[in-house]
Structures are given as structure tokens and as C-alpha cells.
Amino acid sequence: MEIFEQQGHDSVAVANRFIAAAHKQGAPIYSLARLIRLIYIAHGCRLALRGAHLIRDEVQAWPQGPVIPRVYDAFLRIPPVAEPLQAKPDVQDEMDSDQYALELIEAINQDYRHLNYGQLAELTRMQGTPWDLVYRSRGNRATIEPELIKEYYLYLAEDTDDSDLMQPLEAAN
């Protein structure tokens, strides 16, 4: 697994912040796939708006969509449990000083909480997305490069037809 040294935050710490924000907003996260998609979207938004990584861990193209293996491994529940995901203890969390990241997490949670799993999956897997391009060309578990994610979210920010996808960007910028 590729690590983007000194860029972004530990993805499990980011996941913990998403879980906390969702609980605070009264909409706990039950699905690992939903959690990963929210982190992925926030990562893309931060790359586009700030040119900076939200997470320092690799994103891969899996059959079901973009996956952050470190988050997947940390939160996987077999069998799936019908309870909200809980934060993982003992994860170094250096995010308190990154106010922009914290506000972005809040905005993404707020603006995407009305979408069900299928809608979130479609946003991250539709034709032309980084996942689509990488999965079709290089196959399962290929790395989705941060630059490709950044370019896609920059395109969304500039494309008025997709402005609904970028509302969190405007709110957090």
C-alpha cells in the first residue's frame, strides 16, 4: 500500500471524525461503504480546493467502487452488524489544528446525508470518474492516483451541470 508521506491525515482518524460528525448531526453511519465514500468525496474536494490531501493513505479501485484499504480493514465487520459504526480507539488524531478539514467533514456529512447508499455509489462509480477510468484500464485494486481525483473534482467544481455535487465545496471553502 502506497503512503503519501506527510500529506494529509491518517484515514482511520478521518473516519473517526466522520463518525463523530454523523452522530452529532443525528445521522449515524451504519455502512462501511458509505463511510469510505464520504471520505473519498471529502478527499477529492480538498484536493480540488486546496491542492492538499485530506488522507495520506492509498485509494484503490475495487469492483464496488473506490476503497481506502486502511479504513476498510479497520472497520470491517463480519457479519455486518445493524448498529452504527463506532470510532476506533488508539488512533493518533492530529486533526484538531486543521480547521478546514474539520469543517469539510461537517459539510460533507451534512450535504450528503440525504443520499442513500445507491446514490452515493453512483456518484463515485459513474462513467468518467477516477474509479471508472482506473478500474476499466488497470483492474481490481489498482491505485487511484491523487492527481486523477483532484482533476476530476476540479472539473466538477467548474462544470455547472454538476454543481449539486460540489455544494459542500462551496460551503467549506
Side-chain angles (χ1 to χ4, degrees), residues 9 17 93-99 102:
H9 302 285
R17 293 297 182 129
D93 183 350
E94 70 288 349
M95 294 183 66
D96 286 337
S97 63
D98 190 346
Q99 192 61 35
L102 299 174

Side-chain angles (χ1 to χ4, degrees), residues 2-8 43 53 55-59 143-146:
E2 185 175 344
I3 301 290
F4 304 102
E5 295 180 29
Q6 303 305 316
Q7 296 182 28
H43 182 55
H53 294 253
I55 60 171
R56 63 176 161 247
D57 298 304
E58 178 181 46
V59 178
T143 298
I144 303 173
E145 291 80 9

Side-chain angles (χ1 to χ4, degrees), residues 117-153:
Y117 168 76
Q119 292 166 319
L120 268 179
E122 180 63 23
L123 287 178
T124 59
R125 294 189 323 205
M126 61 186 167
Q127 187 174 1
T129 62
W131 170 83
D132 176 58
L133 298 173
V134 169
Y135 190 74
R136 280 190 298 122
S137 66
R138 290 187 272 141
N140 189 27
R141 299 195 183 219
T143 298
I144 303 173
E145 291 80 9
E147 192 59 36
L148 186 60
I149 298 169
K150 178 182 177 179
E151 288 173 15
Y152 179 74
Y153 278 87

Side-chain angles (χ1 to χ4, degrees), residues 32 34-35 37 53 64 78 86 92 116 130 138 166 171:
L32 175 56
R34 179 179 188 79
L35 175 64
R37 280 173 174 67
H53 294 253
Q64 65 273 27
I78 299 176
Q86 299 297 317
Q92 184 178 1
N116 65 36
R138 290 187 272 141
M166 297 307 287

Side-chain angles (χ1 to χ4, degrees), residues 4-162:
F4 304 102
E5 295 180 29
Q6 303 305 316
Q7 296 182 28
H9 302 285
D10 179 287
S11 58
V12 174
V14 172
N16 283 344
R17 293 297 182 129
F18 264 99
I19 290 167
H23 279 285
K24 182 176 142 186
Q25 294 172 359
I29 299 172
Y30 288 81
S31 161
L32 175 56
R34 179 179 188 79
L35 175 64
I36 289 172
R37 280 173 174 67
L38 292 172
I39 295 167
Y40 174 79
I41 291 167
H43 182 55
C45 291
R46 181 159 174 153
L47 284 167
L49 286 176
R50 295 288 171 103
H53 294 253
L54 177 62
I55 60 171
R56 63 176 161 247
D57 298 304
E58 178 181 46
V59 178
Q60 294 179 350
W62 289 17
Q64 65 273 27
V67 172
I68 304 159
R70 181 157 158 64
V71 173
Y72 180 86
D73 291 342
F75 288 91
L76 182 63
R77 304 186 288 195
I78 299 176
V81 181
E83 296 175 3
L85 292 171
Q86 299 297 317
K88 296 294 176 186
D90 302 325
V91 174
Q92 184 178 1
D93 183 350
E94 70 288 349
M95 294 183 66
D96 286 337
S97 63
D98 190 346
Q99 192 61 35
Y100 179 78
L102 299 174
E103 290 172 7
L104 181 62
I105 288 168
E106 293 279 338
I108 295 292
N109 259 326
Q110 182 66 37
D111 290 352
Y112 286 88
R113 74 183 195 177
H114 70 283
L115 298 179
N116 65 36
Y117 168 76
Q119 292 166 319
L120 268 179
E122 180 63 23
L123 287 178
T124 59
R125 294 189 323 205
M126 61 186 167
Q127 187 174 1
T129 62
W131 170 83
D132 176 58
L133 298 173
V134 169
Y135 190 74
R136 280 190 298 122
S137 66
R138 290 187 272 141
N140 189 27
R141 299 195 183 219
T143 298
I144 303 173
E145 291 80 9
E147 192 59 36
L148 186 60
I149 298 169
K150 178 182 177 179
E151 288 173 15
Y152 179 74
Y153 278 87
L154 280 170
Y155 163 77
L156 289 181
E158 295 168 358
D159 185 4
T160 57
D161 292 339
D162 290 321

